[in-house]
Amino acid sequence: MSLLTVGSVAFDALETPFGKTDKIIGGAATYITLSASYFVEKNNLVAVVGDDFPQSMIDDLHQHGINTDGLEIRQGEKTFFWSGKYHNDMNSRDTVEVQLNVMEHFNPIIPDSYQDCDYLMLGNTAPAIQQMVIERLHKRPKLIVLDTMNLWIEIANPDLMNLLKLVDVLVVNDEEARQLTREYSLVKAAAKIRSLGPQTVIIKKGEHGALLFSEGQIFFAPALPLEEVFDPTGAGDTFAGGFIGHLAKTDDISFENMKRAIIYGSAMASFCVEKFGAERIMNLTQEEIQARVSEFVTLSAFGLDL
Amino acid sequence: MSLLTVGSVAFDALETPFGKTDKIIGGAATYITLSASYFVEKNNLVAVVGDDFPQSMIDDLHQHGINTDGLEIRQGEKTFFWSGKYHNDMNSRDTVEVQLNVMEHFNPIIPDSYQDCDYLMLGNTAPAIQQMVIERLHKRPKLIVLDTMNLWIEIANPDLMNLLKLVDVLVVNDEEARQLTREYSLVKAAAKIRSLGPQTVIIKKGEHGALLFSEGQIFFAPALPLEEVFDPTGAGDTFAGGFIGHLAKTDDISFENMKRAIIYGSAMASFCVEKFGAERIMNLTQEEIQARVSEFVTLSAFGLDL
């Protein structure tokens, strides 16, 4: 099935306890489409960059089968730039600098060839822009997955509330779920989010795994215990890409298959953190992915005779 | 198989966002033996209380099949008392008051009838006292499980280091594992702890589940996502009691069976937090326990065709 991903394609400059980078390729939609490329063939990207964005990076996306017909290159403008510095525990980071540049007036253009998309991934960007994408599609996709962040919960809450009514799955981290609902218990937070629209809620807990909530059902997915997290940037987007990529590949949105999709997403995210930026997820084999998924099976399987 | 548990039997006064208690029965060994009572018949307790400890509470222990021949009642002295207040998020608490009383000179006496014990649970108390217990047993138990806490890591580090060489399993929470090893990564922390003695390490992560580490193997056990945690006091001890209780019942210390034991421990802990103190784990049925364990199976099972 075809996947459409909307979100940022950006430059990032990162600093972790292990080192720092110059401007490297980043952005939610970059990580999502790269991650999904290991699952789907029709992998369509809608994003905007400036004329400073190198053709070699677009070539990299093409090499991963990503369709960039919807990647607008705005002449005379600059690409979105974010730089951040991670604390020693890698669980928190400070934003050092943000240059919105082209993202300030992002007007997502959906090429006609994308109109038949079955799965829609709304990567993190302003809720009003995410909603525009839904409205510009002639038919509703089979599944709409939404990612958002604390910034939009704070400054664009009414927009986000409207948008939540239109989507099937919300993917947030534990902090965002609590901020959105003012509930500390994640069980209560998920119930509240479900009452706002999305019938399925995924709450990511970083190194503690992820929870999947749907009607009367909960699934707890482990995270792979890692010796070292080199750079967590993009791990959440990579997770989302693996999740929706597996769903689109199998075209099965049952709860049982969503569990498997979360395991695939978690496996992809566990690769992402091994190197700076998107380097690791640009260089994976199907064999490596299957081996990693097997590790998750070993990690969480237990046999009980009840 | 027979289980011997050593640790505190105490009075607690608790305050949580849901209410507060007067002095109720508490202490590590209380929670451990009550939890283990659903698994083992030979459930032997070594502890010390003052003459203010009510016979009715000792009767309660007897009703759960707990052997109190090793419970010393010291005349003219008072029982260990702890009072604590939980913060709103229930993940942290402040100690309001500690009265060591009889625990100040705890000299664990092992009745002859306990000497044949197969499984030894060293509940949280000073490492020197825990070591005394090992030395006072005529034969080494098949499995020695140790619990400890941040206090002993700080003030009795050399004692703890000596003790670690003598035990098979260490049960700690994530903070304690990091404090003990000065490693942030739990994978590295577990490896370091294993190099200090215990061949198996369990790192409890509260609402995030638990990790089991042994030679080249890791298991990630989920925690049951709960709507409400009423009172977390004793949850860790209840976990330990279910863990060693299941091992002693089945007399199987393989990694596969330790996984199951962690699930039983997690199930017992999930009951413990539902009411104040030990109230809930004093009133459980085997049917309730099996139903709760089934929830863990549903929670974490996923099918993958690889």
Side-chain angles (χ1 to χ4, degrees):
Chain A
M1 292 288 127
S2 65
L3 169 64
L4 170 57
T5 298
V6 184
S8 56
V9 170
F11 288 127
D12 288 346
L14 310 169
E15 185 172 349
T16 82
F18 300 101
K20 56 194 291 184
T21 67
D22 288 328
K23 278 186 179 182
I24 59 173
I25 188 172
T30 309
Y31 284 101
I32 294 167
T33 51
L34 282 170
S35 180
S37 73
Y38 295 92
F39 302 88
V40 288
E41 284 177 12
K42 290 183 186 165
N43 194 2
N44 297 328
L45 170 67
V46 166
V48 60
V49 292
D51 61 8
D52 56 346
F53 198 77
Q55 183 60 39
S56 64
M57 290 192 183
I58 297 176
D59 294 342
D60 281 341
L61 298 177
H62 291 164
Q63 269 174 20
H64 283 84
I66 297 163
N67 185 338
T68 62
D69 290 354
L71 179 67
E72 185 190 358
I73 301 170
R74 223 176 278 168
Q75 297 303 319
E77 292 191 43
K78 288 171 78 180
T79 301
F80 175 57
F81 171 72
W82 175 79
S83 86
K85 184 175 173 177
Y86 286 86
H87 300 172
N88 277 335
D89 69 3
M90 287 288 200
N91 276 333
S92 52
R93 66 185 184 194
D94 294 326
T95 291
V96 176
E97 191 183 352
V98 177
Q99 297 173 12
L100 281 181
N101 299 331
V102 290
M103 285 301 278
E104 203 163 356
H105 307 286
F106 180 24
N107 179 19
I109 299 157
I110 318 289
D112 282 345
S113 60
Y114 287 13
Q115 281 292 347
D116 64 342
C117 87
D118 305 292
Y119 289 79
L120 173 61
M121 180 70 224
L122 297 169
N124 177 38
T125 182
I129 293 169
Q130 292 172 315
Q131 182 156 346
M132 252 184 242
V133 173
I134 298 177
E135 287 165 357
R136 289 174 183 182
L137 289 173
H138 303 160
K139 76 167 177 59
R140 190 191 193 280
K142 182 169 177 177
L143 191 83
I144 303 178
V145 178
L146 173 69
D147 186 15
T148 189
M149 73 183 288
N150 49 3
L151 176 71
W152 311 120
I153 298 171
E154 281 160 32
I155 70 167
N157 207 279
D159 288 354
L160 183 57
M161 289 300 143
N162 282 332
L163 177 59
L164 282 173
K165 295 178 194 142
L166 306 177
V167 307
D168 302 300
V169 181
L170 177 68
V171 183
V172 282
N173 68 32
D174 42 4
E175 246 181 83
E176 291 156 355
R178 286 175 174 138
Q179 192 187 2
L180 183 61
T181 62
R182 297 172 193 275
E183 291 285 354
Y184 182 78
S185 154
L186 297 180
V187 177
K188 286 189 177 176
K192 213 160 184 177
I193 293 169
R194 292 188 67 247
S195 76
L196 298 172
Q199 285 312 290
T200 302
V201 177
I202 296 171
I203 300 180
K204 299 173 292 180
K205 306 196 297 171
E207 61 165 328
H208 302 304
L211 292 166
L212 167 68
F213 297 88
S214 194
E215 178 70 40
Q217 298 182 94
I218 308 183
F219 174 60
F220 188 125
L224 206 65
L226 298 169
E227 285 222 12
E228 215 76 88
V229 169
F230 191 79
D231 170 23
T233 310
D237 299 312
T238 302
F239 171 89
F243 173 75
I244 201 163
H246 175 77
L247 293 181
K249 176 188 176 184
T250 52
D251 194 25
D252 171 0
I253 58 172
S254 67
F255 190 77
E256 281 307 308
N257 200 44
M258 284 200 185
K259 289 188 200 176
R260 288 187 279 268
I262 283 192
I263 298 296
Y264 275 99
S266 303
M268 295 305 292
S270 76
F271 285 117
C272 180
V273 303
E274 289 178 357
K275 293 197 176 174
F276 266 128
E279 191 183 338
R280 188 69 181 98
I281 57 161
M282 291 183 80
N283 296 289
L284 279 173
T285 65
Q286 290 294 341
E287 290 67 33
E288 286 176 311
I289 295 170
Q290 293 305 318
R292 187 60 59 95
V293 166
S294 296
E295 285 189 58
F296 277 83
V297 175
T298 309
L299 181 67
S300 60
F302 59 92
L304 268 176
D305 304 317
L306 293 176
Chain B
M1 292 290 128
S2 64
L3 169 64
L4 170 56
T5 299
V6 184
S8 57
V9 170
F11 289 127
D12 288 346
L14 310 169
E15 185 173 349
T16 82
F18 300 101
K20 57 194 290 184
T21 67
D22 288 328
K23 278 186 179 182
I24 58 173
I25 188 171
T30 309
Y31 286 101
I32 294 166
T33 50
L34 282 171
S35 180
S37 74
Y38 296 91
F39 301 90
V40 287
E41 283 174 15
K42 291 184 186 164
N43 193 3
N44 297 329
L45 170 67
V46 166
V48 60
V49 292
D51 61 9
D52 57 344
F53 197 78
Q55 183 59 41
S56 64
M57 288 190 184
I58 297 176
D59 294 342
D60 281 342
L61 298 177
H62 291 164
Q63 269 175 19
H64 283 84
I66 298 162
N67 186 339
T68 62
D69 290 354
L71 179 67
E72 184 190 359
I73 302 172
R74 222 176 277 169
Q75 297 303 317
E77 293 192 43
K78 290 172 79 182
T79 301
F80 176 57
F81 172 72
W82 175 80
S83 85
K85 185 177 174 178
Y86 288 86
H87 300 171
N88 277 332
D89 70 3
M90 289 287 200
N91 277 334
S92 52
R93 67 186 183 192
D94 293 325
T95 292
V96 176
E97 192 183 350
V98 177
Q99 296 173 11
L100 281 180
N101 300 330
V102 291
M103 285 300 277
E104 205 163 352
H105 307 287
F106 181 23
N107 179 18
I109 300 158
I110 318 287
D112 282 345
S113 60
Y114 288 12
Q115 280 292 350
D116 65 342
C117 88
D118 306 292
Y119 288 79
L120 173 60
M121 179 70 225
L122 298 170
N124 177 38
T125 183
I129 293 170
Q130 293 172 316
Q131 183 156 346
M132 253 183 242
V133 174
I134 298 176
E135 287 164 358
R136 289 176 183 183
L137 289 173
H138 303 161
K139 76 168 176 60
R140 190 190 193 279
K142 182 168 176 178
L143 191 82
I144 303 178
V145 179
L146 173 69
D147 186 17
T148 190
M149 71 183 290
N150 47 4
L151 176 70
W152 310 120
I153 297 172
E154 282 161 30
I155 70 167
N157 207 278
D159 288 353
L160 183 58
M161 289 299 144
N162 282 333
L163 178 59
L164 282 172
K165 293 177 195 144
L166 307 177
V167 307
D168 303 300
V169 181
L170 177 68
V171 182
V172 282
N173 67 32
D174 41 4
E175 246 180 83
E176 291 155 354
R178 286 175 175 139
Q179 192 186 0
L180 183 61
T181 61
R182 297 172 194 273
E183 289 285 355
Y184 183 80
S185 154
L186 296 179
V187 177
K188 286 189 176 177
K192 214 161 183 175
I193 293 169
R194 292 187 69 247
S195 76
L196 298 172
Q199 285 312 291
T200 302
V201 178
I202 296 172
I203 300 181
K204 299 172 292 179
K205 305 196 295 170
E207 59 165 329
H208 303 303
L211 291 168
L212 167 68
F213 297 87
S214 194
E215 179 68 42
Q217 298 183 93
I218 309 182
F219 173 61
F220 188 125
L224 205 65
L226 298 169
E227 286 221 11
E228 214 76 89
V229 170
F230 191 79
D231 170 23
T233 310
D237 299 313
T238 302
F239 170 89
F243 173 75
I244 200 163
H246 175 76
L247 293 180
K249 176 188 176 183
T250 52
D251 194 25
D252 170 359
I253 57 172
S254 67
F255 190 77
E256 281 306 310
N257 200 45
M258 285 201 185
K259 290 188 199 177
R260 287 187 281 268
I262 283 193
I263 297 296
Y264 275 99
S266 303
M268 296 305 292
S270 76
F271 285 118
C272 180
V273 303
E274 289 179 357
K275 294 197 177 174
F276 265 127
E279 192 183 337
R280 188 69 180 98
I281 58 161
M282 291 183 80
N283 296 287
L284 278 173
T285 65
Q286 292 294 341
E287 291 68 32
E288 285 176 312
I289 295 170
Q290 292 306 319
R292 189 59 60 93
V293 167
S294 296
E295 286 188 58
F296 277 83
V297 175
T298 309
L299 182 67
S300 59
F302 59 91
L304 268 177
D305 305 317
L306 293 175

